[in-house]
Amino acid sequence: MTEDATERKVEAAERAALDLANVDDADRSAALEAIADAIDQHRNSVLDVNDQDVEAAEELLEAGEYTQALVDRLKLDDAKVDSIVEMVESLAGMDDPLGRTLQARHLDDDLDLYKVAVPIGVIGTVFESRPDALVQIAALALKSGNAVILKGGSEASHSNRELFDIIREAAQEIEAIPEGWVQLIEAREAVDTVLGMDEHIDLLMPRGSSAFVSYVQDNTQIPVLGHTEGVCHVFVDSEADLEEALEVAYDAKVQYPAVCNAVETLLVEESVAEEFLPAMADRYTEAGVEMRADDRTRDILADSAVDVLEATEEDWRTEYSDLILSIKVVDSLEAAIDHVNENGSKHTESILTESDERARKFMTGVDAASVFHNASTRFADGYRYGLGAEVGISTGKIHARGPVGLEGLTTYKYYLEGDGHRVATYAGEDALPFTHEAFDGEW
């Protein structure tokens, strides 16, 4: 794709965004229903082209160029297509995120100020190998009234192209939906073109490594909402229910290891380590988990039949996205908090304990977008949070944090309703005062 072609697509999205912002929720939701139906009806073609992507990826896996985690994220099957369809239908049925009055205030008699939710405008996204991410992002953009530029990885090119065509054509069944609201770019070079179009794109949402997100941030003037690695921790506290902890820590690693909310480091307080670790290591070994541990963990497991490698300093900061886990014994709750804050990626952390007081100390002391008590890190997900879906998980703090759903794709606008009011009335010696009184009201 030439630079001119990329620019034309972005400019078309910008034009469409102005119209889409004024399409009512009934039409946007109808378009989502049409998209869900179309994906369901064309599932065989989607799975056929996905097979092409997976076959090519498996060849590169054999050559050592791809990881198993990437191949796993790439694969679609009937169950995944069912979940994609369900996700789009769920979004269609959610409340309209637009037009909500967030705040209303009387400034004076017949002078009322309203803060109202509106779309951001044009959102540019770059995402990894999961084809379902394309559908999630496009569907969230449509429901929230935003135009979207989609750039997926080359490893999913056939799947992305097929899903994009289905989405675009299905949405056009609804007359009110403007053409051009969704655009697909495929060339790697197109990313740099997009980064330079700050007058046309309102927000960039890259999903990938910290290095890639940093590259985007360093090479654009467009605001960036970054989704980076998930170096997530589970901490087994001295007051944990150890049977429950076995199940939660197992789920956090094994249930689906190829995603950013899977646990990468297990921390165990010293006082329960000798009782907890042998049983936990057995469970992980049965599941094929490679364990990398500190000296104290290896000493405890030395007489067991499990194989545990020596952890390096790099392991404490690594997102494996695979059946690999680092394990460390810590002296105290405070040591666990310090380890997480030093090595985590501010994604998702969990403490397993029966002490509400200790849980609260961990949850308030850890700097992360999501912090859980007695729950698997795998719950960090837009769908599970009831957001319908997510465009990504923001590990930053502005303007959205954690799973970014519909609300994270909106901003606001102020509307002032007056009756010939003039600023001069409220200035000078005889200036009238403002009332600044909040009230319940809709614009």
Side-chain angles (χ1 to χ4, degrees):
M1 181 184 296
T2 66
E3 182 176 338
D4 286 347
T6 301
E7 290 176 349
R8 285 195 296 272
K9 288 189 174 187
V10 172
E11 290 166 356
E14 183 183 28
R15 291 191 295 271
L18 296 172
D19 293 331
L20 187 59
N22 293 292
V23 173
D24 66 33
D25 182 57
D27 286 322
R28 283 181 275 122
S29 295
L32 287 169
E33 291 284 2
I35 289 169
D37 289 344
I39 292 172
D40 193 20
Q41 292 169 12
H42 292 87
R43 70 170 57 220
N44 289 336
S45 64
V46 170
L47 294 175
D48 286 345
V49 297
N50 181 251
D51 285 342
Q52 297 177 42
D53 288 330
V54 172
E55 184 177 342
E58 287 176 337
E59 291 177 3
L60 290 170
L61 175 64
E62 293 268 341
E65 296 184 34
Y66 280 176
T67 65
Q68 184 63 54
L70 184 147
V71 177
D72 290 344
R73 289 195 296 266
L74 181 60
K75 288 180 182 178
L76 294 177
D77 54 24
D78 272 314
K80 282 192 176 180
V81 174
D82 286 341
S83 68
I84 290 170
V85 171
E86 181 183 348
M87 177 273 298
V88 179
E89 290 176 337
S90 172
L91 277 175
M94 294 187 74
D95 292 340
D96 187 4
L98 305 179
R100 294 179 298 115
T101 296
L102 307 174
Q103 191 178 77
R105 180 175 289 127
H106 293 302
L107 304 189
D108 198 1
D109 291 342
D110 296 323
L111 185 62
D112 297 327
L113 182 68
Y114 300 87
K115 182 180 180 181
V116 179
V118 297
I120 289 173
V122 180
I123 298 170
T125 62
V126 185
F127 50 94
E128 76 287 1
S129 57
R130 289 172 45 207
D132 55 321
L134 180 143
V135 185
Q136 285 190 20
I137 294 167
L140 281 162
L142 180 56
K143 180 70 175 182
S144 58
N146 292 287
V148 63
I149 314 295
L150 302 164
K151 169 66 175 77
S154 59
E155 67 281 352
S157 58
H158 294 92
S159 305
N160 288 339
R161 203 173 299 133
E162 180 72 11
L163 288 166
F164 168 76
D165 287 340
I166 291 171
I167 289 168
R168 181 184 57 186
E169 292 171 13
Q172 292 311 129
E173 294 177 12
I174 309 302
E175 186 176 351
I177 304 298
E179 289 188 23
W181 70 273
V182 59
Q183 300 286 344
L184 179 68
I185 61 174
E186 299 185 81
R188 184 184 298 270
E189 299 76 17
V191 173
D192 287 328
T193 302
V194 166
L195 297 184
M197 299 190 70
D198 51 279
E199 293 186 1
H200 306 276
I201 298 174
D202 299 290
L203 180 68
L204 288 174
M205 297 195 66
R207 293 170 56 153
S209 67
S210 293
F212 174 68
V213 173
S214 294
Y215 173 82
V216 171
Q217 292 169 328
D218 292 343
N219 289 276
T220 188
Q221 296 183 45
I222 303 168
V224 177
L225 191 64
H227 171 129
T228 59
E229 290 109 337
V231 182
C232 304
H233 299 76
V234 168
F235 169 52
V236 181
D237 178 61
S238 59
E239 298 190 34
D241 177 329
L242 297 186
E243 288 299 320
E244 180 181 278
L246 281 172
E247 299 302 327
V248 174
Y250 183 87
D251 179 89
K253 178 78 268 183
V254 177
Q255 194 271 335
Y256 189 19
V259 286
C260 61
N261 58 16
V263 66
E264 305 294 14
T265 297
L266 177 67
L267 302 175
V268 182
E269 191 160 359
E270 183 180 30
S271 61
V272 295
E274 290 194 14
E275 181 180 357
F276 176 75
L277 281 171
M280 188 75 259
D282 285 342
R283 289 288 303 277
Y284 283 142
T285 299
E286 289 172 8
V289 176
E290 176 186 307
M291 290 170 282
R292 304 176 183 181
D294 69 335
D295 289 341
R296 285 195 283 184
T297 299
R298 297 178 76 217
D299 287 345
I300 291 170
L301 299 176
D303 295 331
S304 69
V306 302
D307 186 24
V308 183
L309 303 177
E310 183 178 357
T312 66
E313 281 301 312
E314 187 62 26
D315 282 315
W316 308 127
R317 300 178 180 87
T318 298
E319 180 186 38
Y320 303 112
S321 298
D322 205 344
L323 287 173
I324 305 172
L325 180 73
S326 57
I327 306 174
K328 185 174 186 177
V329 174
V330 293
D331 294 330
S332 62
L333 170 63
E334 292 77 14
I337 293 171
D338 289 344
H339 180 94
V340 170
N341 286 336
E342 182 178 350
N343 299 284
S345 61
K346 306 182 189 299
H347 191 296
T348 302
E349 315 296 351
S350 181
I351 179 172
L352 308 182
T353 184
E354 295 303 291
S355 166
D356 290 342
E357 181 181 351
R358 292 173 68 81
R360 182 169 291 274
K361 184 171 183 178
F362 180 88
M363 296 174 82
T364 58
V366 161
D367 184 11
S370 295
V371 190
F372 300 158
H373 176 199
N374 289 342
S376 168
T377 56
R378 291 281 292 112
F379 281 102
D381 174 82
Y383 178 75
R384 297 186 182 105
Y385 278 15
L387 307 180
E390 68 184 41
V391 293
I393 294 181
S394 171
T395 49
K397 300 180 181 180
I398 300 172
H399 73 283
R401 196 177 194 193
V404 180
L406 293 173
E407 185 177 343
L409 296 182
T410 64
T411 182
Y412 53 82
K413 183 186 292 187
Y414 285 105
Y415 295 119
L416 183 63
E417 297 280 8
D419 187 18
H421 287 76
R422 296 170 296 116
V423 168
T425 308
Y426 304 91
E429 287 186 14
D430 299 320
L432 291 178
F434 291 106
T435 59
H436 289 158
E437 178 185 350
F439 71 98
D440 293 329
E442 294 291 324
W443 182 73

